[in-house]
Amino acid sequence: MVSFLTKLKQCLSNSNSKNDKGFRLSVEMLITSMEQASREEPPAPHSEPMQKQLDQPSGDTSESRQSLQGWLNRFMRIKMTDGRILVGAFVCTDRDRNIILGSCDEYVNTPASNDKEEPRVLGLAMVPGQHILSIEIDDFER
């Protein structure tokens, strides 16, 4: 990188065109940032590949991770704050408690009620974590 910086500085000093003030300023800023970057220490390489680090549970999360993995592709019933109930296969979740359901159906009334309401088919649906009241694992198979 040092030889590149030296050559860049030489080109800048040899350029005497006053029409390229913007270009000269950009090159000077590039040289400054590259000099600062060359003074900083490079980040230490990871001791293990990133995938291995992700696969290894840390501390108390191993039990939680195992229960989440056990729920994969199982049907769950999610009650939402607006009264809707979503039934679908658990695909994934994130840190914000958002949940992705596959083959999802939406019910305005409970599916177990006496009224035979036709569900609205949603397919793949993202349920915002802030709107979830409760989650139940459905034992019935579709």
Side-chain angles (χ1 to χ4, degrees):
M1 183 187 297
V2 175
S3 63
F4 176 73
L5 281 174
T6 306
K7 289 179 182 179
L8 195 58
K9 287 178 185 178
Q10 287 173 352
C11 287
L12 188 61
S13 64
N14 292 339
S15 171
N16 55 9
S17 173
K18 301 204 182 218
N19 295 335
D20 294 332
K21 287 182 183 178
F23 173 74
R24 289 181 62 80
L25 182 61
S26 298
V27 172
E28 289 171 357
M29 290 173 56
L30 176 65
I31 290 171
T32 305
S33 65
M34 290 179 74
E35 286 174 338
Q36 288 174 350
S38 67
R39 286 191 291 260
E40 295 175 2
E41 293 183 23
H46 293 290
S47 58
E48 300 178 27
M50 187 60 84
Q51 187 61 39
K52 281 188 178 180
Q53 291 178 3
L54 292 175
D55 289 342
Q56 294 174 352
S58 60
D60 298 334
T61 61
S62 63
E63 188 176 321
S64 301
R65 181 176 285 192
Q66 286 177 354
S67 65
L68 282 174
Q69 287 176 342
W71 294 348
L72 284 174
N73 298 319
R74 294 204 41 205
F75 278 86
M76 55 176 44
R77 180 177 298 155
I78 298 178
K79 294 181 183 176
M80 298 180 58
T81 55
D82 61 0
R84 292 180 294 162
I85 296 176
L86 302 177
V87 178
F90 176 67
V91 176
C92 68
T93 187
D94 63 8
R95 291 181 182 171
D96 297 325
R97 299 180 324 219
N98 299 319
I99 293 179
I100 305 289
L101 294 178
S103 304
C104 184
D105 294 333
E106 173 188 51
Y107 295 88
V108 177
N109 294 330
T110 61
S113 69
N114 292 336
D115 300 335
K116 283 291 184 182
E117 175 193 351
E118 285 295 315
R120 178 176 159 207
V121 178
L122 300 178
L124 191 64
M126 194 279 287
V127 186
Q130 63 190 12
H131 297 294
I132 296 175
L133 290 178
S134 68
I135 300 173
E136 301 172 16
I137 301 296
D138 256 346
D139 291 332
F140 70 93
E141 292 294 324
R142 289 188 168 203

